[in-house]
Amino acid sequence: MSENPDCFRLAPAPVARARKSSMLAAIGLACALLILLMGHQPASAAVVIEGDDQSEIEVSIESEPLADTIDALATKFGVETEGIEHVSKAEPMTGSFQGSFKDVLARLLKNWNHVIVLEPGDPARVEKIIILNDSQGSRPPASKAPAEPVHMIMP
């Protein structure tokens, strides 16, 4: 018998192939999970709300869009929102606000046309936040009185 080195070469065992396949699948799954977790961070990661009662809260905001801030507050206190898409053009904001939920909302939305609906049985509790349109800005100053008095002559 002639010795053929090929006779002694062992073919990869099915177990080794299965391990390699399982390892590649696990790596792929880990990568997919990592990508999913990185892309699925909470929308309100930069909004910290302290207080569980609408009567006294403290809100800290770090470079967060107004819409996300309002959404986080509404979710925390179970308040309905309408028209939140209207504040999507607002610049991200940073700041701290303290007071009642109603007062904090009023300060956050001071330059937006909005309505804060209170619960009929408890006027200290907010029931709904309505942002009416996407107009931003403060009210124009009242017109000034004429510089010279106007004289009227009566017959």
Side-chain angles (χ1 to χ4, degrees):
M1 251 203 243
S2 68
E3 287 191 32
N4 186 348
D6 291 336
C7 293
F8 296 106
R9 189 177 302 165
L10 297 175
V15 173
R17 276 192 225 139
R19 279 188 203 149
K20 185 177 181 180
S21 217
S22 294
M23 187 184 314
L24 289 174
I27 290 171
L29 183 60
C31 288
L33 185 59
L34 183 62
I35 290 170
L36 181 65
L37 289 175
M38 286 173 46
H40 193 345
Q41 294 176 354
S44 303
V47 177
V48 177
I49 305 166
E50 295 180 20
D52 294 324
D53 186 353
Q54 287 192 17
S55 64
E56 187 64 32
I57 66 170
E58 187 171 339
V59 182
S60 299
I61 306 162
E62 183 67 39
S63 298
E64 195 70 16
L66 180 58
D68 291 350
T69 301
I70 299 299
D71 189 48
L73 286 163
T75 300
K76 166 90 174 174
F77 294 108
V79 173
E80 186 181 346
T81 61
E82 185 178 312
I84 200 163
E85 68 278 0
H86 294 307
V87 295
S88 63
K89 72 177 184 178
E91 294 290 322
M93 60 189 323
T94 297
S96 293
F97 301 86
Q98 188 174 7
S100 71
F101 179 46
K102 178 176 73 169
D103 291 342
V104 169
L105 282 174
R107 282 184 275 170
L108 289 170
L109 294 169
K110 71 179 179 181
N111 291 329
W112 295 89
N113 194 6
H114 70 281
V115 175
I116 297 174
V117 180
L118 304 176
E119 287 187 13
D122 186 359
R125 292 195 53 80
V126 175
E127 182 178 285
K128 186 175 184 177
I129 305 161
I130 305 170
I131 301 166
L132 300 172
N133 56 38
D134 58 3
S135 296
Q136 181 184 15
S138 57
R139 172 181 274 167
S143 62
K144 296 180 180 178
E148 296 180 29
V150 176
H151 298 284
M152 295 180 71
I153 301 175
M154 306 280 276

